[in-house]
Amino acid sequence: MGISPRKRLGALGRHQIESLSEWLRARRASTGPDIARGRLVVVAGPTAVGKGTVVARIRERHPDVRFSVSATTREPRPGEVDGIHYYFVSNEEFDRLVADNEMLEWAIVHGQNRYGTPRRPILDAIEAGDSIILEIDIQGARQVKAAMPEAILVFLLPPSWDELVRRLQSRGTEDAEEQARRLETAKVEFDAQHEFDETIVNDDVDTAAEAVVQLMSGN
Ligand code: 5GP
């Protein structure tokens, strides 16, 4: 389409939006009715289970699926881009978003930073008949289910507890203290799996990603 891969969606011109929309429509038609209309899918699970990797794989394979971008008060990690991975906001801005009822849900995660799902993009997706995936923590998943019972809650499980510890240690994004804190949270999170509509073991990323997509198509 001649659109730079670095261009933000919000910066596309009218013709670019038209050609991109046309491409997505054609792709949807050619891949068949694999994505049902307007499903809200919440992917949650303990720390380091690989939620981000599974969601990234769905993003690659199914560009017609929308993803919610959360707001957070945590600092960006190297390589994270504001507006793509998160909206990185100040404590004051987060307070304002909550006060103005702009959050569908929000929670303090790992006892530290606040994370929340902006409400408007979720409503827009559903109104447009598009499916949207939220990758959030378990407290958030509960709040979404209470607000929107039609949401499908998916709990990702690691193949084993030892594998979860190994994944957390090997990704090296948290120091020892933060790893210990996240493992404590993970123990509590494991106990919440029965509250979910579906559980998927993330043994193989492709298989787990396709299992989530299958749920979106109602299978
Ligand atoms: P991280 O700091 O590693 O990006 O994310 C930490 C945790 O915050 C993850 O478990 C992630 O699922 C959760 N999280 C991310 N966005 C949201 C959100 O909008 N709401 C809630 N409740 N949790 C979120």
Side-chain angles (χ1 to χ4, degrees):
M1 260 161 277
I3 303 174
S4 162
R6 296 171 60 185
K7 194 148 188 175
R8 304 275 297 268
L9 270 182
L12 293 178
R14 189 166 57 83
H15 293 298
Q16 290 177 323
I17 289 172
E18 273 167 14
S19 55
L20 185 59
S21 304
E22 184 49 43
W23 182 84
L24 286 172
R25 266 195 299 277
R27 191 181 188 286
R28 181 176 291 181
S30 71
T31 53
D34 61 344
I35 305 293
R37 307 288 291 167
R39 293 259 170 114
L40 176 62
V41 174
V42 176
V43 177
T47 186
V49 73
K51 282 171 290 182
T53 318
V54 169
V55 167
R57 188 61 49 87
I58 299 171
R59 204 186 277 266
E60 278 163 36
R61 295 274 167 86
H62 299 277
D64 44 349
V65 176
R66 297 195 199 193
F67 294 87
S68 164
V69 178
S70 300
T72 181
T73 57
R74 113 158 138 61
E75 291 294 315
R77 296 189 186 122
E80 284 184 331
V81 181
D82 187 42
I84 302 241
H85 300 96
Y86 283 106
Y87 296 108
F88 295 101
V89 300
S90 63
N91 270 310
E92 294 70 32
E93 175 65 3
F94 204 99
D95 287 342
R96 189 198 65 75
L97 291 167
V98 173
D100 291 351
N101 202 23
E102 288 185 30
M103 292 300 201
L104 175 62
E105 60 76 33
W106 70 271
I108 299 171
V109 182
H110 304 305
Q112 266 190 328
N113 293 301
R114 287 184 289 172
Y115 297 79
T117 304
R119 185 190 302 277
R120 191 68 251 168
I122 307 296
L123 299 182
D124 285 349
I126 289 170
E127 276 163 26
D130 288 340
S131 292
I132 186 157
I133 294 183
L134 283 67
E135 190 239 295
I136 61 177
D137 91 318
I138 283 161
Q139 311 167 69
R142 285 189 187 120
Q143 294 176 49
V144 171
K145 192 74 176 178
M148 305 176 95
E150 71 276 21
I152 303 170
L153 302 194
V154 180
F155 192 90
L156 277 189
L157 279 170
S160 66
W161 177 261
D162 289 349
E163 175 60 17
L164 185 79
V165 175
R166 199 196 60 74
R167 286 180 190 178
L168 180 64
Q169 287 169 348
S170 67
R171 76 179 178 185
T173 42
E174 289 83 12
D175 60 24
E177 195 185 325
E178 178 65 17
Q179 283 177 15
R181 193 165 27 226
R182 287 183 176 227
L183 285 174
E184 277 310 307
T185 314
K187 282 187 197 144
V188 179
E189 289 172 338
F190 260 86
D191 294 340
Q193 51 181 289
H194 64 272
E195 296 172 37
F196 282 64
D197 298 306
E198 304 285 340
T199 51
I200 294 174
V201 178
N202 183 22
D203 204 351
D204 173 73
V205 176
D206 282 324
T207 313
E210 286 313 310
V212 175
V213 171
Q214 286 295 313
L215 288 175
M216 298 179 87
S217 67
N219 295 325

